[in-house]
Amino acid sequence: MQSRKKVPRFKREAPERRRAALVQAAIRWLADGGMAAFKMERIAAEAGVSLGLLPHYFRSKTELLAEVYRAALYDDVNRKITELDNRDAAGSAAERLCRIVDAIVDPDYLKPTNLTVWLALWGEIVVNPELRLAHRTLYRSYLKSLSVLIGEVADQRQRSVNATEIARSLQALIDGLFLERALDRQAVSHADFRRASYEFLELHLGKLTSAA
């Protein structure tokens, strides 16, 4: 495990900054050692927060896990979708959809540390009902936003499709390739992710051109 920089024992910071620091510390520990390394005392120490004050920021380990899950898996992509899934955004619906797909399969988003974090969280979702509920809420919101944009492309091209099923199947395809890459990084390349994603969408929507 990589050495960690010591932090001051006491720091005065706004609650939002402390919450963010705890979330980032938790993500780093998950990346280092999975759920076995997810210890509240370790996370608090790295974030410079007294263990006794931790409940002021997160009432439970599961609440912190849910926030970590949102931050690690959904923040960046959901932010991009929010920017692009309205008609006032630059470019056609097809161009905006391409930018979303490129964000989902971006090498930085699929970097090894994120793979480790996501695998740890997915394993915990199976056995943690509260985290499973958080996953369901986040996933459905994400899927709805993605399907709206897919539906807009289909409407403009006068194609009759089930946008929700296409969005769900696309994400299932990406998740499957993601798991394969997590087990063996040589098995699936970034080009494989992009090619498979675009080929699947083009079966339903016609030709899509990515700027990447």
Side-chain angles (χ1 to χ4, degrees):
M1 183 182 298
Q2 59 186 6
S3 61
R4 299 174 183 279
K5 185 185 298 184
K6 290 187 176 181
V7 297
R9 187 172 179 80
F10 300 105
K11 294 189 295 185
R12 290 184 179 275
E13 290 184 325
E16 308 81 45
R17 290 177 62 90
R18 289 200 176 222
R19 281 178 60 90
L22 287 164
V23 168
Q24 292 306 311
I27 290 174
R28 288 192 291 272
W29 276 110
L30 279 177
D32 274 351
M35 286 304 302
F38 194 92
K39 306 295 184 184
M40 300 301 272
E41 59 272 17
R42 293 174 175 175
I43 294 166
E46 179 159 332
V49 175
S50 165
L51 186 60
L53 290 176
L54 198 54
H56 289 280
Y57 305 105
F58 294 99
R59 292 168 296 178
S60 65
K61 179 179 179 178
T62 295
E63 185 179 4
L64 176 56
L65 273 170
E67 187 65 15
V68 166
Y69 183 64
R70 182 193 59 76
L73 273 74
Y74 286 96
D75 269 5
D76 289 342
V77 169
N78 278 345
R79 189 178 302 114
K80 181 66 71 174
I81 288 177
T82 299
E83 293 170 359
L84 298 174
D85 71 352
N86 67 79
R87 297 175 187 271
D88 295 327
S92 67
E95 289 169 339
R96 286 182 278 128
L97 177 60
C98 287
R99 295 205 293 273
I100 291 296
V101 173
D102 291 341
I104 295 171
V105 301
D106 186 280
D108 190 56
Y109 185 60
L110 299 172
K111 59 190 176 184
T113 53
N114 279 356
L115 300 183
T116 305
V117 169
W118 297 341
L119 285 175
L121 289 168
W122 284 351
E124 182 67 12
I125 286 170
V126 175
V127 298
N128 187 322
E130 292 179 60
L131 189 58
R132 187 159 59 247
L133 179 60
H135 158 73
R136 185 177 296 123
T137 301
L138 288 165
Y139 178 71
R140 287 179 177 175
S141 175
Y142 158 77
L143 200 67
K144 180 180 179 180
S145 296
L146 183 58
S147 65
V148 166
L149 191 50
I150 290 172
E152 187 179 342
V153 175
D155 288 345
Q156 290 181 356
R157 297 183 173 190
Q158 297 184 329
R159 288 174 176 258
S160 179
V161 303
N162 186 326
T164 299
E165 286 303 317
I166 293 174
R168 182 181 293 112
S169 297
L170 172 66
Q171 192 57 48
L173 170 66
I174 293 172
D175 287 346
L177 291 173
F178 158 82
L179 288 171
E180 189 172 353
R181 182 174 172 83
L183 295 172
D184 181 3
R185 294 197 66 205
Q186 302 299 317
V188 182
S189 68
H190 172 240
D192 294 328
F193 268 99
R194 291 190 68 258
R195 182 173 57 254
S197 300
Y198 276 93
E199 286 178 353
F200 173 77
L201 283 172
E202 288 174 347
L203 286 173
H204 303 280
L205 301 173
K207 184 66 177 175
L208 296 168
T209 302
S210 168

